[in-house]
Amino acid sequence: MLTILGFVMIATFLVLIMMKKMSPMGALVLIPALFCVLVGKGAHLGDYVLKGVGELAPTAAMLMFAIIYFGVMIDVGLFDPIVRMILRFCKADPMRVVVGTAILAAIVSLDGDGSTTFMITVSAMVPLYRRLKMSLVVMTGVAAMANGVMNTLPWGGPTARAAAALKVDASDIFVPMIPALAAGLLFVIALSYGLGLRERKRLGVLTLDEVTAGDPEQVLVGAGSGGKGTKGGKGGKAALTGGAGSGTDAEAPSSNGSGTSDASDADDDEFKGLDPNRATLRPKLYWFNAAITIALLALMVTETMPIPVLFLLAAAVALTVNFPQMNDQKARIAAHAENVVNVSGMVFAAAVFTGVLTGTGMVEHMARWLVDGVPEGMGPQMGIVTGVLSIPLTYFMSNDGFYFGIVPILAEAGAAHGVSTLEIARASLVGQALHMSSPLVPAVYVLVGMAKVEFGDHTRFTVKWAVLTSLVVLAAGLLFGII
């Protein structure tokens, strides 16, 4: 019964948010609360929720101060050169923009933290997507998949968990998987190329006069605001030189910032952030801000201190040094308060979902049902079985639950048929491309929140491509004899 109710609860949640019948925050809270009552454990709902909140509170704190920190870095101009560089590469070509998104997300993912990756990627790319009227769902999907593949780095989380759960060395898991993961990343880039061509077909061939004139920054300055703050008093204008095309499934969202219809409404807020004359710029402190950002990422990778503490300290230092006046500090915090509230609220709402799913035992029954459903004859192929199961299980479960609860069971079953523990550990990494879009992953709310994309739209667009990416990683692992 718990198995059935667990699957029904997850299906109900996904259907309601993808059909936009409920907001993600409301669905994350009310649906598990209802199912907790249905399984007869309503009296324990408070305990489940508090336990879930306790487990996710450090993540919420990290995201809160991370948003403030990177928000301040955007305000003071740390990422402006990156945007200019991307503009020079992309030259207003939607195909190049999408490919550039995948490459940027993959590079930034080297820090091992999904939230940081999404904040930097969205901050750099959103203005360009909005200016060119491109689908932001394409951006969130590509960024999530690229980060999912790169999330398998030894310091990223899943590999370390697999190593700890199975008592093997992380390098023995990761290094042999590099060819398969490289194939997965190449597939994401190839997919980005295809999606970019579809966007180009939908929008036509775009050119931006300011780009060819050698001053790409103007393209993103003052758009929709009458040219305020731009050089020469005019914002950049895009000129269509080709047909609009027939559309793509990437443009399904129409009124929430993920499509194209309301992009102009958001232009004022989105593009002022790159005004070269904005009052918040701190050019004299550029190298100081770059240094503390590099130091922050280095300390995160080396795990010198807990990540929430690092971001708390970094945010305090960034605010104090860049904005010594109290009123300026308050203004910067207020400017980013909406993102902080939205993302932190979603994390705590997700705590209800995970708390009930785990506390009632539904997730354990679901996982065991799937594992027990593996035919006895598939025993010698437990590596493949593990890879396939990792795709849905890491979507419906937290990484901790999967790697510490399910992977040891799969490893034990594999050992009985001569399948090595390392093979099981490597196969367990296959599903990470999809995992990063799971409603149980706090970082995804940073991605969709900062991009102003509905979570349901992101899910509907991304899941099919993320599953395909995971299958490519699995196929490459089999081809190279890794799994």
Side-chain angles (χ1 to χ4, degrees):
M1 180 60 72
L2 285 176
T3 301
I4 296 174
L5 287 174
F7 281 116
V8 172
M9 184 178 86
I10 293 172
T12 302
F13 167 76
L14 293 175
V15 169
L16 287 176
I17 62 170
M18 285 192 287
M19 294 181 65
K20 299 183 182 179
K21 299 298 183 182
M22 292 185 72
S23 68
M25 186 176 293
L28 284 168
V29 173
L30 297 179
I31 291 175
L34 173 62
F35 275 82
C36 186
V37 174
L38 291 178
V39 300
K41 296 188 178 182
H44 300 288
L45 177 62
D47 295 332
Y48 298 153
V49 171
L50 288 178
K51 184 177 180 181
V53 168
E55 292 174 348
L56 290 181
T59 299
M62 181 271 289
L63 293 177
M64 172 182 174
F65 291 105
I67 290 171
I68 293 175
Y69 177 80
F70 283 107
V72 169
M73 291 298 107
I74 294 165
D75 293 337
V76 300
L78 180 64
F79 299 113
D80 285 17
I82 297 177
V83 176
R84 289 195 293 268
M85 179 180 68
I86 292 171
L87 276 171
R88 293 189 186 102
F89 168 76
C90 296
K91 295 182 180 178
D93 181 353
M95 183 273 289
R96 290 193 177 199
V97 172
V98 181
V99 172
T101 301
I103 294 173
L104 177 62
I107 292 172
V108 181
S109 294
L110 291 171
D111 75 341
D113 181 70
S115 301
T116 304
T117 297
F118 294 148
M119 277 184 271
I120 294 175
T121 303
V122 172
S123 299
M125 301 304 298
V126 156
L128 189 54
Y129 274 79
R130 289 198 185 281
R131 183 68 186 91
L132 300 179
K133 311 299 184 187
M134 292 177 62
S135 171
L136 287 172
V137 178
V138 171
M139 182 196 71
T140 61
V142 167
M145 287 183 285
N147 178 252
V149 174
M150 296 297 289
N151 192 46
T152 53
L153 292 166
W155 53 87
T159 302
R161 288 180 175 90
L166 300 180
K167 297 179 175 58
V168 295
D169 191 273
S171 62
D172 291 336
I173 300 174
F174 176 73
V175 174
M177 277 293 288
I178 290 177
L181 297 172
L185 186 58
L186 288 174
F187 175 78
V188 172
I189 294 173
L191 175 62
S192 302
Y193 176 80
L195 293 172
L197 290 178
R198 291 168 64 175
E199 282 293 276
R200 180 196 285 172
K201 180 180 179 182
R202 180 173 69 87
L203 296 169
V205 180
L206 297 173
T207 62
L208 292 176
D209 294 338
E210 289 80 0
V211 173
T212 57
D215 189 8
E217 188 172 34
Q218 288 190 27
V219 176
L220 302 181
V221 176
S225 62
K228 181 180 179 180
T230 63
K231 300 173 185 176
K234 293 182 180 180
K237 293 183 180 180
L240 283 172
T241 62
S246 57
T248 170
D249 65 349
E251 61 180 317
S254 59
S255 61
N256 49 34
S258 54
T260 62
S261 64
D262 71 337
S264 59
D265 298 336
D267 279 352
D268 288 350
D269 292 337
E270 293 297 334
F271 300 130
K272 283 180 182 178
L274 288 176
D275 184 345
N277 301 312
R278 62 188 186 272
T280 58
L281 281 177
R282 298 293 185 268
K284 293 182 179 180
L285 293 173
Y286 183 85
W287 292 111
F288 169 80
N289 290 318
I292 62 172
T293 301
I294 293 172
L296 172 64
L297 297 179
L299 291 172
M300 287 171 55
V301 171
T302 57
E303 299 181 349
T304 305
M305 295 179 69
I307 293 179
V309 177
L310 288 173
F311 273 114
L312 189 155
L313 294 173
V317 171
L319 279 169
T320 303
V321 174
N322 288 284
F323 302 98
Q325 300 300 318
M326 182 70 69
N327 289 338
D328 291 337
Q329 292 181 17
K330 290 181 178 179
R332 289 304 89 212
I333 294 174
H336 304 292
E338 181 182 356
N339 277 336
V340 170
V341 172
N342 287 341
V343 174
S344 299
M346 290 293 286
V347 172
F348 285 122
V352 181
F353 195 93
T354 57
V356 169
L357 200 61
T358 303
T360 58
M362 284 191 284
V363 69
E364 182 180 353
H365 280 74
M366 292 162 59
R368 287 191 174 275
W369 178 78
L370 288 172
V371 173
D372 292 342
V374 177
E376 183 67 24
M378 289 293 293
Q381 308 299 325
M382 282 304 295
I384 300 176
V385 171
T386 300
V388 172
L389 288 180
S390 72
I391 300 174
L393 289 180
T394 54
Y395 186 78
F396 297 135
M397 300 176 65
S398 68
N399 270 340
D400 285 337
F402 175 68
Y403 285 102
F404 291 108
I406 304 303
V407 171
I409 298 173
L410 295 171
E412 183 178 347
H417 293 86
V419 180
S420 72
T421 299
L422 282 172
E423 186 175 335
I424 298 296
R426 293 166 190 156
S428 70
L429 302 178
V430 165
Q432 288 303 306
L434 177 62
H435 172 73
M436 290 310 298
S437 292
S438 166
L440 306 183
V441 176
V444 74
Y445 299 116
V446 175
L447 177 63
V448 299
M450 292 186 68
K452 294 181 173 62
V453 169
E454 288 290 340
F455 181 76
D457 293 332
H458 171 78
T459 299
R460 184 168 56 248
F461 174 74
T462 306
V463 166
K464 58 182 178 293
W465 299 118
V467 169
L468 190 55
T469 302
S470 295
L471 292 176
V472 168
V473 173
L474 178 60
L478 293 172
L479 180 64
F480 291 118
I482 303 166
I483 298 174

